[in-house]
């Protein structure tokens, strides 16, 4: 039986409240290469204060969609988020939108803490301006070879 996050959100919130952590397998490609859809897992804990740069929260956006993206900044409107495999940013996420934040995850069967030094280096390198620029250039080149329009 397949259920949506919307359907199990009350259970997730109850487990977070009662036990402090909940583990699940996220779907989607926006956090590749760190998280592979349907294979890797994340463990959330209840958020205990303002998020910091590179935190990885599960939140509900203004369209009601559940998202697991990284904090890459903050402005007056709230947090600025982006998936590791995405180029666009999402703005205006506030603390009330946050369900929990990732404290550890598995990748290819190996567990990592978000406090791991190598993970922190990954976050910085994956989200620096040069890396994002190179990913944009790569995408535009791909589009040219596929006959797409480049803006």
């Amino acid at each position: 039986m397949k259920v949506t996050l919307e359907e199990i959100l009350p259970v997730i919130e109850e487990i977070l409240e009662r036990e402090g952590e909940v583990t699940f397998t996220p779907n989607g490609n926006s956090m590749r290469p760190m998280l592979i859809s349907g294979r890797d897992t994340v463990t959330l804990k209840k958020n205990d204060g303002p998020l910091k740069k590179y935190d990885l929260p599960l939140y509900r956006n203004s369209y009601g969609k559940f998202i697991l993206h990284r904090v890459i900044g903050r402005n007056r409107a709230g947090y600025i988020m982006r998936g590791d495999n995405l180029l666009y940013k999402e703005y205006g996420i506030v603390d009330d939108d946050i369900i929990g934040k990732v404290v550890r995850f598995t990748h290819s069967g190996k567990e990592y803490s978000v406090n791991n030094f190598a993970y922190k280096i990954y976050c910085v390198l994956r989200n620096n301006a040069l890396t994002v620029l190179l990913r944009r250039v790569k995408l535009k080149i791909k589009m040219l070879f596929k006959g797409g329009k480049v803006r």
Side-chain angles (χ1 to χ4, degrees), residues 113-137:
S113 165
V114 297
N115 296 319
N116 176 289
F117 182 72
Y119 169 76
K120 289 181 178 188
I121 296 294
Y122 164 84
C123 291
V124 171
L125 292 177
R126 190 72 189 177
N127 290 284
N128 77 29
L130 180 59
T131 303
V132 173
L133 175 65
L134 290 174
R135 287 177 29 225
R136 285 179 199 260
V137 169

Side-chain angles (χ1 to χ4, degrees), residues 30-45:
S30 65
M31 287 305 296
R32 285 180 76 106
M34 186 184 116
L35 298 172
I36 305 301
S37 181
R39 182 192 75 185
D40 298 332
T41 64
V42 295
T43 300
L44 296 179
K45 77 170 195 170

Side-chain angles (χ1 to χ4, degrees), residues 18-68:
R18 189 177 66 238
E19 298 184 25
E21 292 185 349
V22 65
T23 301
F24 69 96
T25 303
N27 288 308
N29 294 314
S30 65
M31 287 305 296
R32 285 180 76 106
M34 186 184 116
L35 298 172
I36 305 301
S37 181
R39 182 192 75 185
D40 298 332
T41 64
V42 295
T43 300
L44 296 179
K45 77 170 195 170
K46 195 172 178 185
N47 193 34
D48 55 1
L51 296 171
K52 297 183 292 269
K53 190 170 186 177
Y54 305 130
D55 278 349
L56 188 55
L58 175 66
Y59 61 94
R60 186 180 231 159
N61 69 11
S62 59
Y63 302 105
K65 189 174 178 186
F66 294 96
I67 311 282
L68 185 71

Side-chain angles (χ1 to χ4, degrees), residues 14 28 33 40 46 68-69 78-80 97 105 111 116 136 141 143:
E14 180 185 328
D40 298 332
K46 195 172 178 185
L68 185 71
H69 284 170
Y79 298 106
I80 304 167
D97 300 326
F105 62 97
E111 187 172 275
N116 176 289
R136 285 179 199 260
I141 290 170
M143 290 174 66

Side-chain angles (χ1 to χ4, degrees), residues 50-51 71-80 93-95:
L51 296 171
V71 176
I72 60 166
R74 190 174 187 153
N75 62 20
R76 284 186 227 150
Y79 298 106
I80 304 167
I93 306 305
V94 296
D95 287 319

